[in-house]
C-alpha cells in the first residue's frame, strides 16, 4: 500500500501530465471588461466664413439626410448645419485634418474647446468615456474668456407657427452636451444638445445616496432641447456641426463662428467615434499571447 505522501506526489504528476500549460501572463482571476468604454476624437477646424472652396467640397461628402427631417428643419432655422460622415472619410475632410499634423492636443483636464486666439486652424482631442450617462461638455464658444454679452436669436414654434425670439446672455459660454450610449452591435448612440451657461453661479442642492444632500454652486443654464441630435454611429464614423453663413446672430452662428479683427471665421466641429468596446470583437488586431 502506498504511503500518503507518495500517493499524493503520483496523483499530482498524473494531473500535470493531462493538463495544458497556462499561457504566460494568464490570470486565474475572472476579468471584468469595461463594457461601456467609448473613445471619441474631437476636431475643431476654422475656415473663412462661407468660403465655398473649402466648405463646398467638405459638405458634398456629408450626409445631412441622416438627421431626421423635423430635427434638421429646426436646426436649420437656428443657423446650424449638421450631418454624418461614413467610415471612409472624403478627401476634402482628410485634407482639412492634415493641414497641421502638429496641431496641439488640448489639455485633458479641461473641457474640450477651441482657442481662437491661436493661429492654428486645427485643434483636436481624444475623449475617453467610461460613464455613458454622464454628459461631456464640449465647449465651442467662450471657454478661454466668457462672452461679456452674447445676443442670440433663436427660432421656436408656438401654436404650430415659427416664432423668432431674442435673448441676451451675460458672462456666457456655449457648449454641446454630449452623452454616449454603447449599443450591442458595437455602434454608439450620440446624444447632443446645445446649452448656454450664463450669469453668476447659483446655489443648487442635490440629493445623494444614503439620504444626504450636496450643496454646490453652478452657473445658470439655458438648454435647447428642441435642437437635440441623437444618432447611431459605427466606429470610424463622424458627426459634423457648423453654422449657416446667412444666419447672422443665430444660435448656430454664435456657436460656430469667431471674429478676429475684421475677419469672420467659420468653425467646423467633427466628432468621430474612434473606439468602442463592442468594436474590439470585430478587430483583426492580434491578441497578446
Amino acid at each position: 500500500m502506498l504511503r500518503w505522501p507518495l500517493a499524493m506526489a503520483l496523483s499530482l504528476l498524473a494531473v500535470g501530465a493531462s493538463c495544458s500549460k497556462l499561457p504566460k501572463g494568464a490570470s486565474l482571476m475572472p476579468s471584468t471588461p469595461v463594457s461601456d468604454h467609448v473613445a471619441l476624437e474631437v476636431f475643431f477646424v476654422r475656415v473663412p466664413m462661407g468660403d465655398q472652396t473649402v466648405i463646398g467640397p467638405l459638405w458634398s461628402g456629408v450626409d445631412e439626410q441622416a438627421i431626421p427631417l423635423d430635427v434638421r428643419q429646426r436646426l436649420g432655422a437656428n443657423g446650424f448645419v449638421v450631418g454624418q460622415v461614413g467610415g471612409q472619410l472624403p478627401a476634402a475632410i482628410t485634407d482639412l485634418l492634415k493641414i497641421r499634423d502638429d496641431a496641439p492636443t488640448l489639455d485633458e483636464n479641461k473641457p474640450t474647446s477651441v482657442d481662437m486666439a491661436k493661429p492654428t486652424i486645427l485643434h483636436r482631442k481624444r475623449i475617453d468615456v467610461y460613464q455613458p450617462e454622464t454628459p461631456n461638455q464640449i465647449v465651442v464658444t467662450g471657454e478661454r474668456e466668457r462672452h461679456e454679452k452674447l445676443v442670440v436669436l433663436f427660432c421656436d414654434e408656438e401654436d404650430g407657427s415659427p416664432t423668432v425670439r431674442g435673448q441676451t446672455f451675460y458672462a456666457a459660454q456655449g457648449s454641446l452636451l454630449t452623452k454616449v450610449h454603447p449599443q450591442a452591435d458595437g455602434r454608439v448612440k450620440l446624444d447632443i444638445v446645445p446649452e448656454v451657461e450664463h450669469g453668476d453661479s447659483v446655489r443648487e442642492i442635490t440629493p445623494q445616496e444614503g439620504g444626504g444632500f450636496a450643496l454646490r454652486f453652478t452657473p445658470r443654464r439655458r438648454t435647447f432641447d428642441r435642437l437635440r441630435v441623437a444618432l447611431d454611429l459605427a466606429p470610424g464614423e463622424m458627426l459634423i456641426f457648423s453654422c449657416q453663413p446667412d444666419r447672422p446672430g443665430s444660435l448656430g452662428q454664435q456657436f460656430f463662428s469667431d471674429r478676429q479683427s475684421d475677419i469672420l471665421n467659420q468653425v467646423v466641429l467633427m466628432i468621430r467615434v474612434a473606439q468602442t468596446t463592442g468594436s474590439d470583437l470585430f478587430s483583426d488586431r492580434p491578441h497578446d499571447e
Side-chain angles (χ1 to χ4, degrees):
M1 181 175 180
L2 292 173
R3 299 185 176 222
W4 175 255
L6 179 58
M8 179 62 72
L10 291 175
S11 298
L12 291 175
L13 287 174
V15 172
S18 64
C19 296
S20 59
K21 184 180 179 181
L22 285 174
K24 183 179 180 181
S27 173
L28 297 179
M29 297 294 293
S31 61
T32 304
V34 184
S35 58
D36 292 335
H37 170 250
V38 175
L40 302 177
E41 289 179 327
V42 180
F43 301 86
F44 288 91
V45 183
R46 181 175 58 198
V47 298
M49 177 63 73
D51 185 351
Q52 289 304 308
T53 61
V54 178
I55 298 299
L58 187 153
W59 282 104
S60 66
V62 175
D63 181 13
E64 296 182 50
Q65 305 298 319
I67 310 300
L69 178 60
D70 58 334
V71 178
R72 192 165 70 245
Q73 290 175 338
R74 290 196 294 269
L75 289 167
N78 284 279
F80 290 91
V81 56
V82 183
Q84 179 183 354
V85 175
Q88 186 67 35
L89 298 182
I93 292 180
T94 57
D95 289 344
L96 274 178
L97 299 182
K98 290 178 181 177
I99 290 175
R100 282 287 302 274
D101 289 334
D102 61 339
T105 299
L106 302 182
D107 188 347
E108 295 183 357
N109 296 320
K110 295 182 179 180
T112 305
S113 61
V114 58
D115 185 354
M116 292 303 182
K118 296 181 179 179
T120 308
I121 61 175
L122 170 65
H123 293 260
R124 59 179 175 232
K125 182 179 180 179
R126 176 184 170 105
I127 302 176
D128 287 294
V129 182
Y130 296 98
Q131 296 178 327
E133 295 305 317
T134 301
N136 287 274
Q137 184 185 40
I138 302 179
V139 182
V140 295
T141 184
E143 189 275 336
R144 180 173 175 268
E145 183 178 0
R146 290 188 173 229
H147 296 281
E148 181 179 347
K149 181 179 180 181
L150 185 67
V151 181
V152 174
L153 299 175
F154 55 93
C155 182
D156 204 349
E157 292 184 5
E158 185 174 299
D159 299 328
S161 59
T163 302
V164 178
R165 306 176 184 276
Q167 186 169 354
T168 301
F169 299 100
Y170 297 93
Q173 178 185 84
S175 305
L176 296 182
L177 293 186
T178 304
K179 287 186 179 181
V180 300
H181 303 278
Q183 307 296 300
D185 59 0
R187 295 187 300 168
V188 173
K189 173 169 290 199
L190 288 185
D191 186 309
I192 300 176
V193 59
E195 181 181 84
V196 175
E197 284 188 359
H198 63 98
D200 297 328
S201 296
V202 295
R203 186 173 64 177
E204 184 178 87
I205 300 176
T206 57
Q208 301 291 304
E209 293 184 2
F213 293 89
L215 175 63
R216 62 178 183 173
F217 291 85
T218 60
R220 293 181 175 88
R221 292 180 174 86
R222 170 69 190 271
T223 304
F224 296 87
D225 284 306
R226 290 182 57 79
L227 302 180
R228 182 183 302 273
V229 176
L231 198 66
D232 288 347
L233 297 180
E237 294 184 335
M238 280 185 171
L239 195 57
I240 297 186
F241 287 79
S242 193
C243 66
Q244 297 187 14
D246 60 349
R247 296 293 179 110
S250 65
L251 186 66
Q253 193 164 125
Q254 295 288 38
F255 268 40
F256 293 107
S257 69
D258 81 291
R259 182 176 295 278
Q260 292 185 334
S261 299
D262 58 346
I263 300 176
L264 184 63
N265 294 307
Q266 181 173 349
V267 178
V268 180
L269 169 65
M270 306 180 188
I271 305 174
R272 177 176 178 267
V273 178
Q275 180 186 355
T276 69
T277 302
S279 65
D280 290 342
L281 298 175
F282 308 100
S283 173
D284 57 359
R285 182 181 59 195
H287 296 279
D288 295 335
E289 295 183 357

